[in-house]
Amino acid sequence: MTTTGEDHATARGGPWWWTRWRSAVLDTGLAAGSAAECGAEGVRFAHDAGIPAAVGVVFGVLAGSALIVRRKWPIAVVLVSIAITPAQMGYLMGIVGLYTLAASELPRRIIGSLAGMSFLGMLIVMFVRVRQDMQRGTWELGDWFVPFASITTAVGMTAPPVLLGLYVGARRRLMESLRERADSLERELQLLAERAEERAEWARGEERTRIAREMHDVVAHRVSLMVVHAAALQAVARKDPEKAVKNAALVGDMGRQALTELREMLGVLRSGDSRDVRERAAVPLAAVGVAAAAAAAASRAVDDEGAGEGPCLSDVDELLGQSAAAGMAVDLSVEGETRSYAAEIEQTAYRVVQEALTNVHKHAAGAKTHVRLAHRVSEIAMQVENEPPPEPASAAAARLPSGGNGLVGMRERVLALGGVFVSGPTDAGGFRVSAVIPAA
């Protein structure tokens, strides 16, 4: 992981305006060298100006010491170096000051103006100095040497530090922008990881809800019928042994069917778990990989629900036959032309009818029930309505528990497909469950 800008700033601390102690030590050393240089050159300046040498040395030391503030006030340092250029001192301060100025965040027009002033000052001073030396006879060269030496020295003292400072400043800004981009990417990755974790948690919750709904639909209906047949078996065991044997056979068939459906569901879950383990081993531990895995888990949960071999509308007749065998008076009416739908649509329609019949067994045992299916152009509608039970205490006699999840599961299934689900008591004292599911 990279260090963020805030951590990077607090991890480095120096005295006063320096960000690091190393920078403070470097500037102090440069200031000391500049003060020594200007102090030494102050002796000649004092001799030429006709002042005491001590005054010239003190002036040079004070002027050269200004280099210590080059990082905080680079313009002031360059102006001081330009001001003492006629005294023929401060060459080190001028070079370092121009470099610091060019490497700073100041506008280019200010850098260019001060660099031009420094170049012009150095050019004039060197022109006068070289001309004086030639007049004294120190150098015996042609007149061409004076402008050549002046321009060469001025360019050499000005251009290299400015160009180097511009390069270093551009490189520093590039590194800062790359660091900021890295920090931004790190924050984005952290955000993606958090969102991926939230999406994975949502996917796990959806998967748990789907499994609970499937388990309820598979177990509740079969077991409810088994309880009803067992109660009937207990009632007629001594009076009608032949009917008792028939009810016992029905209980066995119901149990075997429930076990078969449970085994199929557990097989799907086990294969899904092994596939999840293989995918988690192949996915890299990065935020983007986590997000992709979460999305795959969410989409796979939906795909598995519709891809499994579940019941369909053609099994409704068998479903009604089982309820009739348990003592329910049930009839079926079909409107429109029967046709096939997508697997998840047929499975949802079947589960709605199944759960509605289960609720009749639980809460209105013995009540006459009407099941209606309507095949329309762009949708399929189903309605299960039961009349009031002939004996209100019959449901309690069977002792069928109710967790209140049946209607919730039906509503979730229908709404997930973009349908409409309505349930409630009727004016006659019965109960009605209606659902409409789009055919596409």
Side-chain angles (χ1 to χ4, degrees):
M1 293 176 62
T2 61
T3 305
T4 59
E6 294 78 6
D7 298 338
H8 186 72
T10 56
R12 304 181 303 171
W16 297 336
W17 58 83
W18 288 287
T19 58
R20 292 178 296 182
W21 279 97
R22 185 175 63 183
S23 301
V25 172
L26 175 62
D27 290 354
T28 303
L30 290 175
S34 177
E37 177 205 353
C38 293
E41 293 173 345
V43 177
R44 185 175 58 182
F45 169 70
H47 180 268
D48 295 339
I51 60 177
V55 176
V57 172
V58 172
F59 173 75
V61 170
L62 292 177
S65 300
L67 191 59
I68 198 171
V69 296
R70 70 182 185 95
R71 296 180 189 269
K72 189 172 182 61
W73 297 301
I75 297 178
V77 173
V78 174
L79 290 176
V80 171
S81 68
I82 295 174
I84 64 176
T85 298
Q88 299 181 8
M89 64 174 62
Y91 298 109
L92 176 61
M93 182 169 57
I95 295 174
V96 177
L98 287 175
Y99 164 79
T100 306
L101 179 70
S104 65
E105 301 292 336
L106 293 172
R108 294 294 177 86
R109 63 178 183 275
I110 297 178
I111 297 174
S113 301
L114 292 177
M117 292 171 60
S118 179
F119 172 80
L120 184 60
M122 184 63 64
L123 178 65
I124 295 174
V125 170
M126 290 305 300
F127 185 86
V128 173
R129 182 174 179 178
V130 174
R131 189 175 183 84
Q132 288 176 352
D133 291 340
M134 290 188 65
Q135 289 177 354
R136 293 172 186 170
T138 305
W139 297 334
E140 295 181 358
L141 297 172
D143 294 336
W144 60 270
F145 183 73
V146 176
F148 173 78
S150 302
I151 295 174
T152 303
T153 305
V155 171
M157 296 288 289
T158 305
V162 171
L163 295 177
L164 180 61
L166 292 174
Y167 167 75
V168 172
R171 184 175 179 273
R172 183 186 300 130
R173 287 188 290 272
L174 176 61
M175 295 301 295
E176 290 177 356
S177 65
L178 292 177
R179 187 182 296 112
E180 292 177 357
R181 183 175 299 179
D183 295 338
S184 177
L185 289 176
E186 182 178 358
R187 287 191 293 269
E188 290 180 2
L189 286 177
Q190 292 176 354
L191 182 61
L192 284 175
E194 294 175 359
R195 291 182 177 177
E197 182 63 26
E198 294 176 358
R199 189 169 184 179
E201 183 63 28
W202 171 83
R204 288 191 291 268
E206 289 293 319
E207 184 69 9
R208 287 193 295 267
T209 303
R210 185 184 70 86
I211 294 173
R213 188 167 57 241
E214 287 290 337
M215 295 289 289
H216 177 273
D217 291 340
V218 169
V219 176
H221 181 74
R222 304 293 184 190
V223 175
S224 298
L225 292 180
M226 291 171 63
V227 173
V228 172
H229 283 297
L233 177 63
Q234 184 180 4
V236 302
R238 295 180 180 180
K239 298 179 180 179
D240 192 350
E242 183 178 354
K243 188 175 182 180
V245 172
K246 183 179 180 181
N247 287 340
L250 289 175
V251 171
D253 292 338
M254 294 293 177
R256 282 187 290 273
Q257 291 177 3
L259 288 175
T260 300
E261 293 188 11
L262 285 175
R263 288 194 186 98
E264 292 178 355
M265 181 178 297
L266 291 176
V268 172
L269 293 178
R270 288 183 181 277
S271 62
D273 292 340
S274 62
R275 180 172 55 188
D276 290 342
V277 171
R278 291 194 299 270
E279 289 182 356
R280 284 196 295 268
V283 174
L285 294 179
V288 178
V290 174
S299 62
R300 188 172 60 252
V302 178
D303 294 340
D304 289 344
E305 184 176 359
E309 294 182 0
C312 57
L313 287 175
S314 60
D315 300 328
V316 172
D317 291 333
E318 180 182 356
L319 183 65
L320 299 183
Q322 294 173 356
S323 296
M328 177 186 293
V330 56
D331 59 61
L332 172 66
S333 62
V334 181
E335 300 177 5
E337 183 179 355
T338 303
R339 63 182 187 274
S340 60
Y341 302 90
E344 55 185 1
I345 295 178
E346 294 206 6
Q347 183 177 355
T348 300
Y350 177 90
R351 293 300 187 192
V352 169
V353 176
Q354 181 188 51
E355 181 59 29
L357 293 177
T358 302
N359 288 339
V360 175
H361 284 292
K362 287 182 179 180
H363 306 292
K368 185 174 182 179
T369 306
H370 307 278
V371 179
R372 300 181 181 90
L373 294 178
H375 300 273
R376 299 168 184 169
V377 177
S378 58
E379 61 188 15
I380 177 174
M382 63 223 67
Q383 178 178 294
V384 179
E385 180 179 351
N386 64 276
E387 299 176 359
E391 298 179 3
S394 60
R399 295 190 298 274
L400 290 172
S402 177
N405 297 318
L407 295 177
V408 176
M410 285 190 285
R411 181 182 300 275
E412 290 176 351
R413 284 181 177 275
V414 174
L415 295 181
L417 297 178
V420 179
F421 178 84
V422 179
S423 62
T426 63
D427 296 335
F431 199 85
R432 180 187 298 116
V433 173
S434 301
V436 178
I437 303 175

